[in-house]
Amino acid sequence: MNIEKLAGIDIGSNAIRLLVCNVITDKKGKNPSFKKSALVRVPIRLGADSFIKGKISEENKERMLKAMEAFKLLMEVHGVKKYYACATSAMREASNGQEVAEEILEKTSIKINIIDGKKEAAIIFSTDISDIIEKDKSYLYVDVGGGSTEFTVFSEGKIINSKSFKLGTVRLLNYNKKEAKVIWNDIESWVKENTANLKRLSLIGSGGNINKIYKLSGKPIGKPLSLIYMKAHYQFLKQMTYEERISELSLNPDRADVIVPATSIYLNAMKWSGGKKIFVPKIGLADGIVKSLYNNKI
């Protein structure tokens, strides 16, 4: 038996995550198993800087530096052999994103790779999403982040089309209604056009918010959420105050505000595609990083 320690760092618009995994292989030729050893989430909302001010603030840069120093020490303690760090839309769109990445590299030796939406989707697809997809069915994969949402259409086991839109949870909190309406209209047109002729379509949702929604539902692992449930849950969340979502649902403060716009994205995707259920396999960028590292794809 061989045990390899790998780590993925996901620098998103709403939070930064470090995932440490034990990758276990044996001599019998079985598929490797990926066991989470540690998951650390730090709520540094870079999107609030990038999408409003156009650059990462000095305060958040310092917080990032401290987080990366901590992640480096944690990886050393865990005996991590390989890691890969990805930054998505907030760092990508910040005028000083590359400059911040270079300073972090100089001070912590952590190299941050600023990636585009297509690479982000490709990394996530390296997870066990194939275990969910049935060859004779169609799916709309929706990955909601803080700064952008990735949509991918699968049919008969193949990718039909994929597109990233600048509509994420942190952005929606800060967009004015006119800006938001333009992008909502673009997404509606794209989803309807790319799913129009697909029958028996279901959705696959990824992102921290849909994972939390799924946990709150109490559904057994593997069972999808229905359109009816998502509609009811959206109204339930909207009627609660920010404080009530924290106290009554035990949501973290940085989750309690973004979970409402996130639910609206998943719900609209279901309506526009005609999908009546959404599967939630609890996959994310950090999981994809670890699996891509193991398979030497990054």
Side-chain angles (χ1 to χ4, degrees), residues 96 106 141 245:
N96 61 340
E106 182 184 338
Y141 173 83
R245 290 183 214 121

Side-chain angles (χ1 to χ4, degrees), residues 261-278:
T263 309
S264 72
I265 296 173
Y266 293 112
L267 183 55
N268 280 319
M270 294 180 84
K271 290 177 181 176
W272 295 332
S273 65
K276 297 292 190 289
K277 54 190 177 182
I278 180 167

Side-chain angles (χ1 to χ4, degrees), residues 204-253:
I204 299 170
S206 75
N209 288 290
I210 194 70
N211 291 343
K212 181 58 71 174
I213 293 165
Y214 194 79
K215 187 175 181 181
L216 290 170
S217 76
K219 282 271 188 182
I221 293 172
K223 297 292 182 183
L225 300 175
S226 67
L227 176 60
I228 293 170
Y229 176 84
M230 291 295 287
K231 284 180 179 177
H233 191 70
Y234 180 58
Q235 294 304 320
F236 170 68
L237 290 171
K238 275 183 69 178
Q239 288 166 8
M240 300 179 86
T241 64
Y242 171 73
E243 291 76 14
E244 285 171 340
R245 290 183 214 121
I246 294 171
S247 61
E248 296 180 25
L249 300 181
S250 299
L251 297 182
N252 287 326

Side-chain angles (χ1 to χ4, degrees), residues 41-147:
R41 181 179 182 274
V42 184
I44 303 175
R45 190 167 281 183
L46 296 178
D49 283 346
S50 184
F51 308 143
I52 299 170
K53 302 168 190 171
K55 64 182 293 185
I56 294 164
S57 65
E58 194 64 27
E59 179 189 353
N60 274 341
K61 185 187 78 173
E62 290 303 316
R63 292 177 72 200
M64 277 187 73
L65 274 165
K66 289 176 181 176
M68 291 304 120
E69 286 169 354
F71 286 2
K72 182 183 178 183
L73 290 171
L74 282 168
M75 288 192 290
E76 286 176 7
V77 170
H78 279 278
V80 169
K81 299 302 179 187
K82 281 197 298 184
Y83 79 92
Y84 189 85
C86 282
T88 53
S89 57
M91 286 276 283
R92 188 165 64 237
E93 294 180 32
S95 61
N96 61 340
Q98 190 59 48
E99 179 187 317
V100 170
E102 287 169 5
E103 186 173 340
I104 287 171
L105 175 62
E106 182 184 338
K107 292 182 177 178
T108 70
S109 300
I110 299 283
K111 182 185 178 185
I112 295 173
N113 300 276
I114 300 175
I115 61 172
D116 60 23
K118 283 191 174 181
K119 183 158 187 181
E120 183 179 354
I123 291 172
I124 292 171
F125 293 152
S126 67
T127 60
D128 293 333
I129 196 169
S130 57
D131 294 346
I132 304 156
I133 296 171
E134 295 182 38
K135 297 288 185 184
D136 61 337
K137 293 183 181 177
S138 299
Y139 299 88
L140 174 62
Y141 173 83
V142 185
D143 177 43
V144 177

